[in-house]
Amino acid sequence: RFREYFLAHPSSRESMAAAWQYALEDEDSAHAYSLATLKDVDWTGRLGVARAKEFIERTLALPALEQHPWLLARHALAHCLLREADRQGAMSLMDSTAEALEDAPEDLLLEALMSQAHIGLYDAPQEKTLALLDRCLALAHDPYARAEALRMKGSLICWTPDYEQARALFAEAATLYPPQDPAHRRMLIDQGFLARRKGQFEEALQCYRLCVEQAKKADDRVVYRNARGNMVDALVCLGRWQEAIEIGRECLKIEEAHGDRYSLLGLLWNLSRPFLEVGELELSARLMSASAALWAREIRPLSADELEEMEEVRTGLSQNLDKSRLDYLWAEGERLTLQEALALVKKSSF
């Protein structure tokens, strides 16, 4: 009865976690899967990534009574792997999930392919994910599913010079979402990304600000964190160094509480340039080399644009530090763990 109450009335994080814990201890598969896949409950936000991942893995160790909750739980686990920076693990998990459901009913297959594409947005070859999304669009009869596929395809196209196609995909998706649906907030992040790709950084910042306001009003913590973190990137592009540092510090506290390594690494990378510009040279050198090394080890090799950005920071540092000191700081940064790099930001006087 305790578990059934919290399934019907999602409440405090600890009470819901207790209900899930009891279901796992009792090997109550039905309740465990139901709690793991509650709609609009962000378990990584409520429990932190490590604890949410543990609960989901324990749930998946139980036999699933139906395919749909199994799919949702596998997607939730892939999301946890992403936040731990295990991109390959997340993509392999969803590839095998979609393969297992290839002969499932069309609506379940579509959801599996959409989940596979969602994870593929982060690091899979673009051609593979675009092909997946085209397959989803061919299968999608439901307006909402079609809108999601269009939105994801638009976010991929943003990485190409075909910005007009990306804009058109976002515009079509916006007409298919129900009014007041949370997806419209996610669209603001997509539109901000498109503006950034076009070099329209002030427009991007306004998209993110509006998204933060709307997400805060709706208590949408996932979108709030995403939009707030993107604000740092836009502020860096605009050269508004102090604002970038202030908001970046706030974001680091939030993401550290959630255990989100991917977001933490991105924030440390984005803060290295502002610290250079405000004169925190040694901190900038350590953060740039630490985030670059951790990113390359945990996520993927640095892209040409990222290598160019790193060299720009190093060049700026070389104008103010002698070579031997810069080399020492750079090597020291490359040896830092993520927690050690975060500690440096906390200790900085700025």
Side-chain angles (χ1 to χ4, degrees):
R1 288 197 300 270
F2 178 71
R3 295 197 287 271
E4 287 168 356
Y5 175 81
F6 284 107
L7 280 169
H9 307 89
S11 182
S12 71
R13 67 179 67 184
E14 287 306 322
S15 296
M16 290 181 67
W20 195 359
Q21 175 74 37
Y22 294 152
L24 292 169
E25 289 175 359
D26 293 346
E27 297 186 358
D28 184 338
S29 180
H31 278 158
Y33 274 94
S34 295
L35 283 158
T37 59
L38 275 173
K39 187 177 181 181
D40 299 326
V41 173
D42 170 30
W43 280 117
T44 59
R46 287 175 180 250
L47 303 181
V49 174
R51 194 174 177 205
K53 180 187 171 191
E54 176 201 344
F55 276 33
I56 295 167
E57 286 178 330
R58 289 174 63 188
T59 298
L60 285 164
L62 299 173
L65 303 180
E66 298 178 14
Q67 288 180 310
H68 187 239
W70 178 80
L71 164 61
L72 294 178
R74 298 263 291 191
H75 191 201
L77 178 58
H79 181 72
C80 290
L81 293 171
L82 284 180
R83 303 336 292 178
E84 288 186 331
D86 185 0
R87 327 295 279 177
Q88 191 56 52
M91 287 185 290
S92 296
L93 178 66
M94 290 316 301
D95 287 351
S96 63
T97 302
E99 184 178 350
L101 294 173
E102 189 63 45
D103 296 325
E106 189 173 278
D107 58 341
L108 187 59
L109 173 60
L110 171 61
E111 189 166 351
L113 294 172
M114 292 279 283
S115 299
Q116 185 185 14
H118 171 250
I119 299 302
L121 288 177
Y122 291 88
D123 216 23
Q126 190 179 79
E127 297 77 12
K128 173 184 173 181
T129 307
L130 282 173
L132 273 174
L133 289 169
D134 284 339
R135 190 178 175 196
C136 290
L137 287 168
L139 291 171
H141 307 298
D142 173 70
Y144 193 93
R146 186 170 183 80
E148 285 288 272
L150 289 167
R151 185 180 66 79
M152 286 194 282
K153 185 173 181 178
S155 69
L156 268 186
I157 297 297
C158 283
W159 289 103
T160 76
D162 196 352
Y163 301 137
E164 181 54 35
Q165 185 189 3
R167 186 205 62 76
L169 289 166
F170 290 151
E172 184 179 352
T175 66
L176 296 173
Y177 286 122
Q180 309 306 315
D181 190 89
H184 291 286
R185 293 193 288 275
R186 297 196 299 270
M187 286 288 296
L188 284 170
I189 296 176
D190 293 321
Q191 290 162 357
F193 179 55
L194 176 58
R196 269 169 49 198
R197 292 289 297 165
K198 294 166 70 176
Q200 298 168 348
F201 304 123
E202 189 61 48
E203 180 181 335
L205 182 60
Q206 294 312 310
C207 286
Y208 299 142
R209 283 194 194 280
L210 180 58
C211 186
V212 165
E213 292 170 8
Q214 292 183 3
K216 188 173 184 179
K217 189 179 297 184
D219 195 28
D220 186 339
R221 299 178 186 183
V222 176
V223 172
Y224 177 88
R225 288 164 51 205
N226 194 342
R228 195 78 168 152
N230 275 288
M231 282 180 64
V232 178
D233 206 354
L235 288 165
V236 169
C237 292
L238 288 165
R240 291 160 62 170
W241 313 120
Q242 294 188 11
E243 287 179 79
I245 290 172
E246 290 168 8
I247 293 176
R249 283 181 183 277
E250 295 172 13
C251 292
L252 284 175
K253 289 179 183 177
I254 295 171
E255 301 301 347
E256 188 174 15
H258 287 84
D260 192 330
R261 292 183 70 84
Y262 177 76
S263 295
L264 286 167
L265 287 173
L267 284 164
L268 289 176
W269 176 283
N270 284 336
L271 284 171
S272 59
R273 176 71 183 276
F275 278 122
L276 163 64
E277 298 296 342
V278 300
E280 291 276 354
L281 305 178
E282 298 201 350
L283 177 58
S284 172
R286 290 187 178 102
L287 289 185
M288 185 78 267
S289 58
S291 57
L294 288 165
W295 188 271
R297 283 200 300 270
E298 297 189 11
I299 299 176
R300 56 168 169 75
L302 297 177
S303 68
D305 287 345
E306 289 161 347
L307 287 169
E308 183 179 349
E309 184 178 346
M310 182 180 71
E311 284 307 312
E312 286 176 1
V313 171
R314 183 161 181 137
T315 298
L317 290 165
S318 68
Q319 294 170 358
N320 297 278
L321 294 168
D322 64 60
K323 185 178 184 303
S324 61
R325 183 59 181 166
L326 177 55
D327 288 345
Y328 172 81
L329 293 168
W330 202 267
E332 190 176 70
E334 289 178 332
R335 293 191 295 270
L336 293 175
T337 65
L338 176 58
Q339 290 306 315
E340 289 169 341
L342 291 171
L344 289 177
V345 178
K346 294 174 188 175
K347 291 177 185 176
S348 65
S349 57
F350 183 82

